[in-house]
Amino acid sequence: MTTLAERRIDRYRTRTDEPAPLIRRTDPAVWGKKDSPVLGRLDADGYAVLDALLSPAETAELAAGMDRLESDRDLRDDERVVIEKKADRVRSVFEVHRISPAVADLVRDERLAGLARRVLGSEVYVHQSRVNYMPGFDGAGFYWHSDFETWHAEDGMPLPRAVSLSIALTDNLPYNGSLMVIPGSHRFFVPCRGKTPDEHYRESLREQRIGVPSEEHVAELARGRGIVQFTGAPGSALLFDSNVMHGSANNITPFRRSNIFVVFNSVENALEDPFAAAAPRPAHVAARDFTPVR
């Protein structure tokens, strides 16, 4: 008996048994009007830097709140909290917009939700929110990946009609594990090898091994395009396409790095059954409440 996922036409097939070639993307990156330099850069490169999305006062208040979450021992047993694999430190807190009233207000702000509506050409909802902490000396990085590959395979997101904002709460420096991006890589979907294990999210949120591209594909994407790094002061932000290839190195410096991530998905791109997993990930990782942000 075939499943619904198997009966669907899947233009972004992944988690295959054998290596598969890059798939040229046919869906747009900007679904609305490309009526600003920011949207033009997002369309061309897959990302755009916003130098001062938030004011210093707003950023300081958010950073203080996220610091309190990180040190809240009562929160450690919450399923939304991810602990570093090699250190007893908080790596991420998911669904942070439901934990923090300040972040709840932030996601509704026109600077975020309004920008996402312009990118996606529709009403939007929060697919995922989290705060990532990268402590000094032993903060673990994130290997190269496309978010959409995971969201498609494990969450059932049909198309790459989602966009992310990473907002710096601390200085994002060239040497403290700041995010690296391959410009133009959003134009190609990268199939990954390997069957998705049951409850894969429990391990992948700490260290992803399934759903990562081959070295050959990363080299092919970077050849002629290079790699850029998002750096900026607190309050700056990186707007990036769901399919762009990105990753970060370990932080072995004394300087911690902390960022809030908000992922907006189009309400017209609501999640279905996973395309390459037995069951969807839990709602705190991939929301199934598609109520538009207001």
Side-chain angles (χ1 to χ4, degrees):
M1 180 176 179
T2 59
T3 66
L4 175 62
E6 290 169 335
R7 292 196 300 270
R8 289 175 293 180
I9 297 173
D10 185 1
R11 290 190 282 120
Y12 298 105
R13 187 166 175 264
T14 189
R15 310 290 170 97
T16 56
D17 294 332
E18 300 297 329
L22 297 177
I23 299 170
R24 183 173 288 277
R25 173 180 177 169
T26 56
D27 294 297
V30 176
W31 295 70
K33 296 180 181 179
K34 296 186 281 289
D35 55 2
S36 73
V38 166
L39 297 188
R41 287 194 293 272
L42 178 68
D43 182 62
D45 297 328
Y47 72 94
V49 176
L50 309 174
D51 288 325
L53 179 66
L54 304 183
S55 71
E58 289 174 312
T59 309
E61 182 179 354
L62 277 170
M66 297 306 100
D67 286 347
R68 288 192 292 271
L69 288 186
E70 184 183 16
S71 59
D72 186 348
R73 302 299 300 186
D74 292 335
L75 199 61
R76 281 295 186 98
D77 293 332
D78 194 297
E79 65 177 353
R80 294 171 289 187
V81 176
V82 180
I83 304 299
E84 288 275 7
K85 188 170 184 176
K86 297 181 180 179
D88 184 28
R89 296 186 179 183
V90 176
R91 179 178 177 87
S92 305
V93 178
F94 280 79
E95 213 172 45
V96 70
H97 72 295
R98 297 195 182 278
I99 297 174
S100 164
V103 180
D105 289 341
L106 178 65
V107 300
R108 292 192 293 266
D109 194 296
E110 277 297 300
R111 289 170 293 179
L112 279 73
L115 178 58
R117 291 186 196 102
R118 291 167 60 201
V119 172
L120 302 179
S122 69
E123 292 295 327
V124 300
Y125 72 93
V126 177
H127 169 69
Q128 184 186 99
S129 73
R130 68 188 187 276
V131 55
N132 282 351
Y133 305 99
M134 186 173 281
F137 295 113
D138 58 5
F142 294 82
Y143 192 71
W144 291 108
H145 64 285
S146 151
D147 289 329
F148 174 65
E149 192 279 339
T150 295
W151 299 340
H152 184 67
E154 300 186 36
D155 301 334
M157 183 178 288
L159 303 174
R161 195 175 178 179
V163 68
S164 299
L165 270 163
S166 171
I167 305 170
L169 299 180
T170 62
D171 285 313
N172 279 223
L173 303 165
Y175 42 78
N176 69 342
S178 294
L179 208 64
M180 297 179 290
V181 178
I182 300 179
S185 59
H186 65 308
R187 294 295 178 190
F188 297 89
F189 180 76
V190 182
C192 299
R193 290 184 66 186
K195 183 179 179 181
T196 308
D198 291 343
E199 297 191 329
H200 178 235
Y201 73 95
R202 295 186 184 279
E203 181 65 20
S204 67
L205 297 180
R206 302 168 72 206
E207 183 181 25
Q208 190 167 359
R209 294 184 178 275
I210 302 296
V212 297
S214 67
E215 293 179 358
E216 292 77 14
H217 277 157
V218 174
E220 183 177 350
L221 290 171
R223 193 175 301 119
R225 297 182 179 88
I227 294 171
V228 299
Q229 190 172 34
F230 166 58
T231 59
S236 60
L238 181 72
L239 177 73
F240 61 104
D241 180 82
S242 61
N243 191 52
V244 77
M245 191 62 62
H246 61 286
S248 60
N250 294 345
N251 181 16
I252 61 171
T253 76
F255 307 107
R256 70 192 300 269
R257 180 177 72 83
S258 180
N259 291 57
I260 285 179
F261 285 79
V262 182
V263 181
F264 294 100
N265 188 27
S266 169
V267 297
E268 298 171 9
N269 194 39
L271 305 188
E272 303 173 0
D273 288 340
F275 284 82
R281 298 190 298 175
H284 68 271
V285 178
R288 290 183 176 270
D289 178 353
F290 312 128
T291 305
V293 173
R294 292 281 188 256

